[in-house]
Amino acid sequence: MTDDMSTETVVEAIWHQLLEHHPEARRGGSPGAIEAAAAEPRLRQMFPFLSHGCLTFHRNTEYPWSNDLPFIACTTPYTVYAIGYAKLLGETETPQEAAALVIAHLPNDCCPAIEGPWPEPSSNTE
C-alpha cells in the first residue's frame, strides 16, 4: 500500500478504485450500479466485488468471502438476488432502486467489513 493510501481502509481503497475506473480494479458490472451502491452508507462499508456481471457485497476483505448478503445482477432491468441466487428479491429500472433493495434485505447485524478472510464456522460437535 502506498503512503498516500495508508490511512485508507481496504474497503475504502477498493470503492475508490471502482469509482475512478482504476486499471487494477475488477471489471464488469455497471458503473451506474457501482455509483448508486457507493452513495449508500450501509453498502459503502461492505467490501464490493465484481464478478460475472454482478456487484456483490461482503462482510470481509479476503477470500473466503462471507457470501451471505444480497447482490445486484447488473442487467436491464437490474435484478437483486438473495445469497447465491436463492431467491429473486426484485427487479428495478434504476441502479438506485437496486441499491435500496439490497439495503432493505441486509441482515440487522450487518456492520463494516472486517479486514481479512471470513472466519470459519466453529466445529463444535457436542
Side-chain angles (χ1 to χ4, degrees), residues 11 15 17 22-23 36 53 59 76 81-82 87 89 93 106 126:
V11 170
W15 277 112
Q17 287 181 358
H22 192 277
R59 298 183 195 226
T76 304
Y81 291 96
K87 179 180 177 185
L89 299 175
E93 292 301 317
L106 287 177
E126 295 180 37

Side-chain angles (χ1 to χ4, degrees), residues 2-8:
T2 60
D3 287 339
D4 62 332
M5 292 178 64
S6 62
T7 58
E8 215 174 26

Side-chain angles (χ1 to χ4, degrees), residues 8-76:
E8 215 174 26
T9 68
V10 172
V11 170
E12 291 168 337
I14 295 301
W15 277 112
H16 285 141
Q17 287 181 358
L18 291 174
L19 290 166
E20 296 168 5
H21 310 287
H22 192 277
E24 293 179 18
R26 290 186 65 88
R27 300 286 182 238
S30 154
I34 293 166
E35 290 170 10
E40 295 290 346
R42 285 195 72 200
L43 295 180
R44 187 73 180 244
Q45 65 184 348
M46 299 293 110
F47 185 81
F49 192 85
L50 293 169
S51 181
H52 298 91
C54 295
L55 175 57
T56 61
F57 307 95
H58 300 282
R59 298 183 195 226
N60 63 300
T61 63
E62 294 175 19
Y63 182 83
W65 310 110
S66 60
N67 283 328
D68 65 340
L69 302 176
F71 64 93
I72 301 169
C74 300
T75 57
T76 304

